[in-house]
């Protein structure tokens, strides 16, 4: 039996620490199916900072980890915390849940690089990790995988989408761009939709030359999930996820279509996908028309037919088995939905071929075998656990003395307020035409990172 500690960042769902997103629940169950003991630690429950290793109850977490004594640490997006690596000596497996600019605590990677291994879900991304210090023999690519299954349910939903509304409050930097260069931004987006050019930097240089931007700005500008969903509202959309009533737009129709009932677990996702004729996938801009999200394989394993935004990698993987309908603009998404709502037989053929593909190439066992070879830790065990129930590290407020809580809160809030004041002045200065040229792209990225870090103080 191998003891695995898996760390990740997930906002609390429904005020219950035990509620897990489908992928993490599925991953833990699959590890246990092959005889591994699993302890899950959601760093979001113990920290106010995504990008830093700081936690509010370090001693409790360190003691928990020391007692557990893991044989392997799996850190999604490198969500580690103060004291974790210092008090363990096992291999650390970094899973890329997102692109590397969303990795946390990058300084820990370089410090403990001799213990680290890198697992990517995307062929071709291996080279991008050399800048973090990984050598080729420390990196391997695995395929997406799922635990979901096809169930014969009444399909009373035309189209379903489960996901997050990425766009929230625009930064002052982006507001300044739109206020002063809005027509060029619109021209840029028209070219993006018409030419399918995912070289965002090239487009920005062409239409917004001189504008200093970062990866988060790119995500805001080129994310089009709201447009896609709006284009199919009249076809019968069931919208689930989070944040669809937040943000600066006033898309009343889309907000009204949102079902706020939490839908996150394996059962939630499996039920919705099996009850839907069409299941949409809308990728984050970071995929650049190449990669694809985890939930693609979840959908393909069920009785709902997948319609996806463009993914060259998915096309490459599924070639010869199933051709997944894909779109590159909101208008193409609408046309595909209209077509396949009418064509029952075509839809069922694609579902059957998708199910076949998942059974051959979308389950976890061969991934675990590949990871075994990489890190030298056994994940396929012949002896199964008697009690197949993974553990989630809970918040134990009794272990934090009142004085310590007050001290931590005061220290954090005081520091945050000071930082917010400094950031506020910096934003004003760097958007003044006279002073704007003094702020380099790197400095602006640091300011936006600081704003995100101390937001809410």
């Amino acid at each position: 039996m191998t003891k695995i500690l898996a760390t990740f960042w997930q906002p609390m769902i429904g005020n219950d620490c035990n509620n897990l997103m489908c992928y993490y629940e599925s991953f833990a169950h699959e590890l246990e199916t092959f005889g591994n003991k699993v302890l899950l630690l959601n760093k979001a429950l113990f920290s106010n900072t995504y990008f830093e290793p700081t936690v509010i109850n370090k001693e409790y977490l360190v003691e928990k980890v020391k007692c557990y004594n893991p044989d392997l640490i799996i850190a999604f997006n490198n969500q580690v915390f103060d004291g974790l690596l210092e008090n363990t000596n096992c291999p650390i497996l970094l899973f890329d849940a997102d692109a590397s600019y969303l990795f946390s605590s990058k300084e820990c990677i370089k410090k403990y690089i001799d213990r680290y291994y890198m697992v990517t879900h995307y062929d071709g991304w291996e080279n991008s990790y050399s800048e973090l210090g990984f050598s080729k023999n420390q990196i391997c690519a695995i395929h997406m995988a799922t635990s979901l299954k096809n169930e014969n349910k009444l399909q009373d939903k035309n189209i379903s989408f489960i996901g997050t509304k990425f766009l929230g409050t625009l930064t002052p930097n982006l507001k300044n761009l739109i206020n002063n260069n809005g027509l060029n931004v619109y021209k840029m987006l028209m070219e993006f939709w018409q030419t399918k050019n995912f070289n965002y930097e090239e487009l920005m240089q062409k239409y917004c030359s001189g504008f200093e931007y970062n990866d988060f700005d790119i995500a805001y500008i080129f994310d089009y999930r709201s447009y896609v969903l709006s284009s199919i509202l009249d076809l019968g959309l069931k919208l689930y996820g989070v944040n669809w009533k937040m943000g600066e737009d006033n898309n009343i129709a889309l907000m009204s279509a949102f079902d706020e009932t939490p839908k996150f677990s394996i059962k939630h996702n499996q039920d919705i996908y099996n009850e839907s004729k069409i299941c949409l996938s809308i990728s984050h801009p970071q995929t650049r028309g190449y990669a694809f999200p985890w939930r693609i394989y979840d959908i393909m394993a069920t009785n709902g037919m997948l319609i996806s935004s463009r993914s060259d990698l998915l096309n490459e993987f599924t070639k010869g088995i199933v051709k997944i309908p894909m779109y590159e603009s909101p208008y193409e998404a609408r046309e595909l939905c209209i077509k396949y709502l009418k064509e029952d037989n075509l839809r069922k053929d694609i579902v059957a071929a998708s199910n076949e593909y998942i059974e051959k190439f979308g389950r976890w066992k061969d991934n675990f075998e590949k990871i075994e070879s990489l890190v030298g830790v056994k994940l396929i065990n012949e002896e199964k656990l008697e009690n197949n129930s993974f553990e989630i590290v809970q918040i134990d407020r009794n272990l934090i003395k009142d004085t310590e809580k007050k001290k931590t809160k005061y220290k954090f809030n005081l520091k945050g307020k000071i930082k917010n004041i400094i950031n506020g002045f910096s934003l004003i200065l760097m958007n003044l035409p006279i002073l704007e040229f003094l702020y380099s792209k790197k400095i602006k990225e640091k300011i936006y990172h600081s704003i995100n870090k101390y937001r809410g103080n």
Side-chain angles (χ1 to χ4, degrees):
M1 177 186 71
T2 299
K3 292 186 290 184
I4 298 168
L5 170 65
T7 64
F8 54 95
W9 182 282
Q10 174 201 287
M12 189 183 296
I13 302 172
N15 296 318
D16 189 339
C17 301
N18 294 302
N19 290 341
L20 289 174
M21 287 169 50
C22 179
Y23 180 91
Y24 297 125
E25 182 186 359
S26 174
F27 183 68
H29 276 308
E30 290 295 319
L31 283 170
E32 287 188 328
T33 298
F34 290 98
N36 302 287
K37 185 176 180 181
V38 181
L39 177 65
L40 299 177
L41 195 155
N42 179 8
K43 186 173 156 248
L45 303 179
F46 304 94
S47 178
N48 295 304
T49 57
Y50 174 92
F51 286 102
E52 305 297 332
T54 310
V55 285
I56 59 175
N57 34 14
K58 174 181 174 180
E59 290 183 7
Y60 163 60
L61 292 178
V62 168
E63 188 60 29
K64 185 77 176 176
V65 170
K66 287 170 69 174
C67 290
Y68 184 67
N69 191 24
D71 301 306
L72 176 66
I73 296 171
I74 298 176
F76 288 90
N77 280 1
N78 202 45
Q79 283 296 337
V80 297
F81 60 87
D82 283 335
L84 172 61
L85 305 187
E86 295 90 331
N87 288 280
T88 54
N89 55 19
C90 62
I92 309 149
L93 198 60
L94 198 169
F95 263 59
D96 60 358
D98 294 286
S100 59
Y101 75 89
L102 288 172
F103 288 0
S104 170
S105 309
K106 291 183 181 179
E107 66 282 355
C108 294
I109 301 174
K110 294 181 180 179
K111 185 176 180 180
Y112 293 94
I113 192 64
D114 58 320
R115 290 172 55 190
Y116 263 95
Y117 296 89
M118 182 75 227
V119 169
T120 178
H121 291 82
Y122 305 110
D123 285 347
W125 280 22
E126 296 96 322
N127 294 336
S128 66
Y129 297 123
S130 59
E131 64 187 39
L132 298 176
F134 289 100
S135 58
K136 289 185 178 180
N137 63 354
Q138 289 176 290
I139 306 173
C140 79
I142 63 172
H143 59 72
M144 298 287 190
T146 181
S147 296
L148 272 61
K149 301 183 185 305
N150 185 320
E151 293 180 330
N152 187 17
K153 289 179 173 287
L154 173 66
Q155 290 188 319
D156 56 359
K157 300 173 178 62
N158 275 356
I159 308 168
S160 68
F161 178 78
I162 309 174
T164 303
K165 180 183 178 184
F166 288 129
L167 298 181
T169 302
L170 294 180
T171 64
N173 196 37
L174 279 179
K175 286 184 179 179
N176 183 54
L177 172 66
I178 295 169
N179 289 336
N180 295 299
N181 206 19
L183 288 178
N184 277 344
V185 173
Y186 176 53
K187 290 177 184 177
M188 177 176 68
L189 289 174
M190 281 203 300
E191 179 171 335
F192 170 60
W193 293 327
Q194 292 169 2
T195 64
K196 329 302 183 191
N197 178 11
F198 287 89
N199 189 333
Y200 307 131
E201 293 76 14
E202 180 182 281
L203 290 170
M204 291 293 290
Q205 179 62 33
K206 180 177 179 180
Y207 290 97
C208 305
S209 179
F211 174 68
E212 296 286 348
Y213 60 90
N214 57 31
D215 292 320
F216 296 98
D217 294 329
I218 288 289
Y220 271 77
I221 293 170
F222 291 96
D223 180 67
Y224 65 170
R225 60 177 48 198
S226 291
Y227 312 142
V228 170
L229 295 171
S230 295
S231 76
I232 59 170
L233 277 168
D234 63 312
L235 303 180
L237 171 66
K238 294 292 184 181
L239 178 60
Y240 308 92
V242 294
N243 296 338
W244 288 101
K245 291 187 177 179
M246 298 175 62
E248 295 186 334
D249 62 85
N250 59 348
N251 192 330
I252 295 173
L254 198 58
M255 291 179 178
S256 302
F258 175 44
D259 185 339
E260 294 183 82
T261 308
K263 301 293 182 182
F264 52 88
S265 67
I266 291 176
K267 178 170 174 52
H268 291 151
N269 283 257
Q270 186 165 280
D271 286 348
I272 289 171
Y273 293 148
N274 279 307
E275 293 165 0
S276 303
K277 295 176 183 177
I278 291 173
C279 305
L280 268 184
S281 174
I282 311 171
S283 293
H284 189 282
Q286 67 180 333
T287 62
R288 294 176 181 261
Y290 176 74
F292 57 92
W294 290 338
R295 67 176 64 254
I296 286 278
Y297 278 27
D298 290 340
I299 296 170
M300 291 177 67
T302 68
N303 200 27
M305 193 200 80
L306 168 67
I307 292 181
S308 170
S309 52
R310 173 181 163 182
S311 171
D312 294 341
L313 185 61
L314 182 61
N315 264 333
E316 182 183 328
F317 283 172
T318 58
K319 187 177 181 180
I321 298 179
V322 57
K323 185 170 179 58
I324 300 297
M326 295 184 185
Y327 59 89
E328 295 182 277
S329 74
Y331 323 107
E332 291 176 0
R334 176 179 175 80
E335 291 172 359
L336 287 173
C337 287
I338 291 173
K339 174 182 177 179
Y340 285 102
L341 284 174
K342 292 179 180 177
E343 300 286 351
D344 288 352
N345 290 334
L346 280 178
R347 196 173 66 244
K348 291 175 182 177
D349 288 344
I350 291 174
V351 167
S354 297
N355 290 173
E356 177 188 350
Y357 174 83
I358 291 299
E359 292 309 316
K360 288 181 178 179
F361 305 109
R363 299 302 183 187
W364 274 105
K365 184 178 180 181
D366 56 331
N367 278 341
F368 292 157
E369 291 171 344
K370 198 168 185 178
I371 293 171
E372 277 186 346
S373 299
L374 177 70
V375 301
V377 174
K378 193 167 182 60
L379 297 181
I380 308 293
N381 300 281
E382 294 181 3
E383 294 184 8
K384 306 303 178 185
L385 298 177
E386 293 183 6
N387 182 17
N388 218 26
S389 179
F390 56 80
E391 181 186 355
I392 302 172
V393 178
Q394 301 293 314
I395 302 173
D396 194 339
R397 298 297 183 186
N398 295 325
L399 295 180
I400 309 174
K401 296 179 182 179
D402 289 340
T403 54
E404 290 178 336
K405 286 195 288 185
K406 290 177 182 177
K407 180 180 177 182
T408 302
K409 184 177 180 181
Y410 174 78
K411 182 180 178 181
F412 180 80
N413 284 342
L414 180 60
K415 183 180 180 182
K417 289 181 187 300
I418 294 172
K419 284 286 186 179
N420 281 333
I421 292 171
I422 296 172
N423 291 334
F425 280 118
S426 298
L427 281 172
I428 293 171
L429 292 174
M430 75 186 196
N431 284 292
L432 291 175
I434 299 175
L435 300 176
E436 185 176 7
F437 71 93
L438 296 176
Y439 290 82
S440 66
K441 180 179 178 181
K442 186 174 183 181
I443 292 174
K444 287 183 177 180
E445 286 185 352
K446 286 183 177 180
I447 292 171
Y448 289 126
H449 185 283
S450 181
I451 290 170
N452 184 65
K453 178 178 177 181
Y454 294 103
R455 183 179 295 168
N457 289 281

